Amino acid sequence: MQEEKYLYIRKPIPRRDIDKLTGEAQFIADIEIPGALWMKLVGSPYPHARILEIDTSEAEKVPGVEAVLTGKDFPFKIGHHIRDRDVLARDRALYVGHPVAAVIAETLEAAEKAAELVRVKYEPLPYVLDPLEAMKPDAPLLHPNLGEYEHLPFLYPVPGTNIAHKFKLRKGSIKDGEREADVVVEEEYRLPMLHHSYLEPWGAAARVRSDGTIEIWTSSQGPFAVRTQLAHSLHIPESRIVVHYLYVGGGFGAKSDLFLEYLPVLASMKLNGRPVKLILNREESFYYGFHRAEYIFRMKTGARKSDGKIVFHKGEYIYGTGHAADLGSLLGNTIGWLATGPYDIPNVWIDSYTVYTNKPTTTAFRNYTHTELWFAFEQQMDILAERLGMDPVEFRLRNLIKPGASTLPTGQQISEDWGDPEGVLKRAAELIEWGKEPEQPREPWKRRAKAIVMAPKGPSMPPNITTSAIVKMNEDGSVDLLTGVAEIGQGTLNSLAMMVAEELQIPLEKVRVYGIDRDTSNTPYDWETCASRATFAIGQAVLKAVDDLKQQIKQLASQILRVDPSSIEIRDGKAVVKGEPWKALKLEEVAMGYTFPDGHAIHGQLIGRGSWVPRRTTGLDEEGRGHPLEFVTYSAQAVEIEVDILSGRIDILKAVAVADTPFINKILALGQAYGGALMGINVALREEIKFDENGKILNPGFTDYKIARAGDIPKSIIVEFLSTKLLHDAPYGAKGIGEVFLGGWPAAIANALYRAIGVRIKRAPLSPERVVEEIKKQKPDLLENIVKKLGGE
Amino acid sequence: MKVESPLTFRTTLPELEGYFRPKSLDEALSLLSELGERAKIYAGGTDLLIDMRLRNIGNKVVVDIKEINELRGIREEGDSIFIGATTTIHEIKTSSLIASRLPLLKQVVERFADQFIRTRATVGGNLCNASPAADTPLALLIYGSEVEIASVAGRKRVPIKDFFKGVKRTILAPGELVTGVRVPVPQGRQRVKYLRFDRSSEDLMIVGIAGAVFEGREPGDFEFSLSYGAVAPTPLLFKGLQDAYKRGGADEVLKIVKEKVSPISDVRASKEYRMHLVEVGTRLIIKELLGGV
Ligand SMILES: Cc1cc2nc3c(=O)[nH]c(=O)nc-3n(C[C@H](O)[C@H](O)[C@H](O)COP(=O)(O)OP(=O)(O)OC[C@H]3O[C@@H](n4cnc5c(N)ncnc54)[C@H](O)[C@@H]3O)c2cc1C
């Protein structure tokens, strides 16, 4: 492909959707629905308790209260992947915060006041907060009826336990591997539950119209996903549900599936269709929202001295999903098949467990288990390299998958058009100046070091998810593009507009993309904005739709100009006969069909349509065999850090990210890269939902759930996009980039810390306090010597 | 079996029984005297509004003091500097008078919250909120400041070290208002250092340590003080540490300090980590301020 021929693609084109700057953007809290009622939830103060009685009489007396609903009002379970959620806790509350009642009132004030008057009698029950404890045979059971829950076919719950899903992956023979290994590293890594920290707390409103249509406004990454999952959960046909698109103030995975939309929907059904609004505040987002799971990775990996090859990898990957696994079980699946990263390992044995605990529930988090797995796996790699006495970059180079030759542990071939894993690693090494020792600071209590890790991302999506697009021409030759994409801040609408303008060679201003003025009944289907797929997948549907439109233009023009359609090309907003540029029709002359001089007309409005489904993917069988990946975006990430041994604080002096993919819009691509890097670095250093011993959240807000601020941005972030291969079946060869830049930082920082001071931290985050704690455990002399230098005893 | 009050989280602010915006100090003082315990003084609101949303306070009548001119501004008055109660942290941070005369206060406010908060938050609010993790007291304590308090009964000045009574508690009685803080300007040369440990930039402190060396008239004659935040129910001041330092260096100073600090474990840090920071932070400050002495 000749790159330079593009008008718009690959160019740094500023966003045209500036509604957020002008204040015109409408978020859920801005939506006014006449007659809307407010809902307020009442949470359980216990991590696990039998609900003996709920007294709502005092609450009902508060002026303005319309209803107080409890679990009894909804005697069924809901869920899409596994039906394990109560609408409101029925017999038992399963975590601190579990909604046991919902007050609905004329005003939020009245609802809040009444919520505080709901009286619940509980019988506290034994509970379990730690996933490893939860897996023990005598652990208190969250879901004694797990065996009876309806679930999708590829999930494997283990009845009588807290294991919501067990995934197995087997390749080769671990015994053979163990026999060949000269060095074996066995470690355990842990990552805590995280909040997605979207700026806009989640909210939704719903009403039932007199014709029975359920209308929903929600802060969602996937209006269609909400529709599908709600329809399935409540046994309602999809066509009866209409979900409106809104501006979304960030999602990062939390808003990618059905959230709590069912609460206002069911409440509205109970209240003769009156609109009901539920808008969470930040504390409620922590208690009622969905989080990133906590993870425990147990890994045993062996390598050969002679050639530095990894010969086996055995893993037990544990995903603590909280009290429900409706969404978590899929992630438990992904950590399973992702098992060995971008390395070619002949013998693999993985068991991944999705485990219930008495905590809030979990869902997708940007980079869908990759960041977490890399935290473990890429530390494992550095430890192995050290034991083998090899340079960690060299060690990785020897073990990387080979495009066209290697297979994933699932058996899927590594496709050549996915790119060049070696290339990204080598380029990252150059950019961080690998091999050149960092200059050490003057203060003896500060040390610097570098590290590099691999951090690819393969999107995890069901094999049959589809998307489609419609382009229609207007009288003036402009084009409207209609897709189901949810714009959650990433700018996809802009990239899609660029594609249409590029293909028709018309000014960008002549393409109008439907943003929030849409709902699921008037747009083509799209699964959701997640898995780094919006531009990639919808882009393909858009290109097909534009292609369809172009065929129609050519067909029509050929009739008018009396030439063969194949001799017509579309450029500069015209249909032109090749080699005879004086024979041309402006697009506005054919947009509504063509009218001949005598007034008779042909064809009518030109409308193109296109649909897309992944071509390469399949489901996985119960041994984990199959083709889960449409593509992989290879990436390597490197850091130079400075650690203050006295305070334990880690500063990132330089961050390097290399990804092997071209992009559509340079500004938006860099936005994803910088945003991803900052988020990933923050996840590495600061983020953790802290629970007390009774399962109560200690930091349900940004005072104590720490997000990096301006002063924490690394002094130097270097991002490079390689373009070693153009992916087939992709818009202009571009793969997804929404998540990959989050990937390697926690692992890279942990490895760099080890290289700086010889302290290995296998538990995230690497907070200053944890660093000091680990120094004291692993290297007490280090600290003591520095204190001595400061004039201590 | 247990009946529990439910877990709910307020979004709204409480309904107010009254909101007043007096234009003069006298008007404010008579209002406060009339309202007694029902009144809540409202300056920048950066602490107050949070406490109101979380229903940590029950007061329902708000007296907004931002329009009282008398309470605003930074003035040199003889050998001291007067900072009005509603002077914002931003104003202190950008004052050249503060930068040249009270460099420790300047260092302290530079680490205070973020630009949004600094333009709202006031020094009076910072003192009266009496958080153990408040920044400005650490400098004001070392300079030996006095808090000026007014009520319908009259005015008084209280040494700042006697102002704090405990976590979120001061000596203020209903009807009283802080009009400002008077800070004596050190006459000799001063070397100052503020070390603040936090979890991100623009964060509340985990531990804050301020140190100052005020040089006397005679060569080699100096006064050394330290103050600590977030390691006890109130900010702690240690004055006159020079003798201990001369006797036994940082070890001797730390002996004195450790007798009084009593950090707690909370969501921000464990007691052990806070003690560790007291230890290494004190040594770092001593090295920086006295290392060459
Ligand atoms: C995001 C954020 C970050 C923060 N970071 C920091 C930080 O880094 N360091 C720090 O020290 N603080 C920090 N704070 C706390 C707060 O900003 C400060 O304590 C601030 O100085 C309070 O001043 P204010 O004018 O906003 O007080 P207000 O909220 O108006 O009042 C606080 C209290 O003092 C009383 N009061 C106020 N003025 C008077 C007066 N003149 N006389 C008598 N009583 C009075 C009020 O009744 C109330 O009880 C932070 C707060 C937030 C929200």
Side-chain angles (χ1 to χ4, degrees), chain A residues 703 709, chain B residues 39-51 57 65-66 71 85-86 89 111-114 117 120-131 133-137 163 168 172 176-180 196 202-205:
Chain A
T703 310
R709 317 246 343 182
Chain B
K40 198 68 198 165
I41 296 172
Y42 168 37
T46 59
D47 284 314
L48 185 67
L49 264 69
I50 294 172
D51 280 336
I57 50 170
I65 58 170
K66 281 192 287 291
L71 298 182
T86 56
I89 304 299
R111 298 297 297 277
F112 191 111
D114 58 30
I117 296 291
R120 280 299 292 183
T122 66
V123 64
N126 199 227
L127 297 179
C128 297
N129 189 57
S131 159
D135 280 286
T136 64
F163 182 73
K168 292 229 161 196
L172 287 182
E176 287 185 328
L177 177 136
V178 168
T179 54
R196 191 187 197 262
E202 304 170 345
D203 186 20
L204 292 162
M205 67 172 76

Side-chain angles (χ1 to χ4, degrees), chain A residues 329-626:
Chain A
S329 48
L330 293 183
L331 288 116
N333 230 26
T334 302
I335 40 169
W337 58 255
L338 206 60
T340 58
Y343 304 105
D344 200 348
I345 304 177
N347 306 300
V348 181
W349 169 298
I350 303 292
D351 286 335
S352 96
Y353 299 91
T354 305
V355 179
Y356 290 120
T357 59
N358 293 106
K359 284 184 175 170
T361 188
T362 66
T363 187
F365 183 93
R366 190 177 186 185
N367 214 26
Y368 213 80
T369 76
H370 290 59
T371 311
E372 298 78 19
L373 182 59
W374 300 160
F375 178 69
F377 206 92
E378 288 293 295
Q379 288 204 65
Q380 193 81 345
M381 295 297 282
D382 262 35
I383 299 173
L384 269 173
E386 191 192 20
R387 301 260 170 93
L388 289 167
M390 277 180 83
D391 175 83
V393 172
E394 174 60 25
F395 176 63
R396 284 178 174 81
L397 285 171
R398 292 202 188 184
N399 286 287
L400 280 178
I401 44 177
K402 300 271 179 291
S406 313
T407 55
L408 289 175
T410 67
Q412 181 173 7
Q413 267 269 329
I414 307 299
S415 176
E416 276 184 82
D417 68 348
W418 290 354
D420 178 12
E422 237 182 81
V424 296
L425 181 54
K426 286 182 172 159
R427 185 62 188 139
E430 275 168 32
L431 290 171
I432 198 79
E433 297 179 280
W434 189 248
K436 189 176 150 206
E437 280 304 307
E439 216 170 287
Q440 292 301 334
R442 207 167 37 82
E443 303 94 326
W445 59 90
K446 291 186 177 171
R447 294 276 169 70
R448 293 180 182 174
K450 302 172 185 176
I452 305 188
V453 300
M454 288 296 291
K457 168 76 186 27
S460 189
M461 40 188 169
N464 60 345
I465 51 114
T466 178
T467 189
S468 39
I470 295 171
V471 282
K472 54 190 176 75
M473 299 228 57
N474 296 314
E475 296 91 320
D476 58 0
S478 67
V479 178
D480 290 340
L481 171 63
L482 197 53
T483 72
V485 65
E487 164 61 45
I488 59 168
Q490 80 281 27
T492 305
L493 299 175
N494 293 263
S495 303
L496 299 178
M498 285 164 67
M499 294 181 197
V500 175
E502 184 72 50
E503 292 304 310
L504 294 174
Q505 303 221 331
I506 55 176
L508 206 46
E509 300 75 56
K510 289 199 128 181
V511 184
R512 182 172 182 282
V513 190
Y514 282 84
I516 62 166
D517 35 7
R518 291 174 292 164
D519 65 51
T520 51
S521 70
N522 61 22
T523 68
Y525 177 88
D526 181 59
W527 179 45
E528 58 188 64
T529 295
C530 68
S532 306
R533 66 175 279 284
T535 301
F536 162 78
I538 301 160
Q540 293 180 81
V542 168
L543 290 180
K544 286 187 177 175
V546 177
D547 201 52
D548 183 30
L549 181 70
K550 281 163 90 173
Q551 294 313 321
Q552 293 179 39
I553 295 170
K554 287 179 184 173
Q555 197 67 46
L556 181 57
S558 78
Q559 274 173 270
I560 302 157
L561 301 171
R562 300 183 180 287
V563 293
D564 191 78
S566 64
S567 60
I568 289 178
E569 62 182 347
I570 293 163
R571 61 178 157 87
D572 306 330
K574 289 184 202 130
V576 185
V577 179
K578 286 179 202 162
E580 297 174 77
W582 57 91
K583 285 193 190 165
L585 288 163
K586 290 186 188 149
L587 289 185
E588 51 262 46
E589 292 178 86
V590 293
M592 294 288 133
Y594 186 74
T595 308
F596 289 97
D598 69 354
H600 95 261
I602 52 170
H603 196 295
Q605 186 182 16
L606 300 184
I607 298 179
R609 55 153 183 73
S611 294
W612 177 86
V613 276
R615 276 194 327 140
R616 308 185 201 210
T617 52
T618 69
L620 301 181
D621 70 15
E622 70 265 38
E623 296 259 289
R625 278 178 302 251

Side-chain angles (χ1 to χ4, degrees), chain A residues 82 84-85 94-95 128-132 134-135 142-143 146 162-165 191 193 289-296 318-332 335 353-364 691:
Chain A
I82 179 163
D84 65 358
R85 281 195 262 171
L94 296 179
Y95 75 99
V128 59
L129 301 175
D130 179 71
L132 292 179
M135 286 174 74
L142 276 90
H143 297 274
L146 179 57
N162 286 318
I163 298 166
H165 170 52
L191 300 103
M193 236 184 224
F290 295 65
H291 301 298
R292 186 194 84 178
E294 56 192 319
Y295 291 82
I296 297 141
I318 292 142
Y319 179 102
T321 185
H323 75 281
D326 186 21
L327 308 166
S329 48
L330 293 183
L331 288 116
I335 40 169
Y353 299 91
T354 305
V355 179
Y356 290 120
T357 59
N358 293 106
K359 284 184 175 170
T361 188
T362 66
T363 187
F691 294 88

Side-chain angles (χ1 to χ4, degrees), chain A residues 638-650:
Chain A
V639 289
E640 181 178 336
I641 67 157
E642 180 176 286
V643 56
D644 177 335
I645 296 165
L646 290 176
S647 68
R649 178 191 162 109
I650 296 174

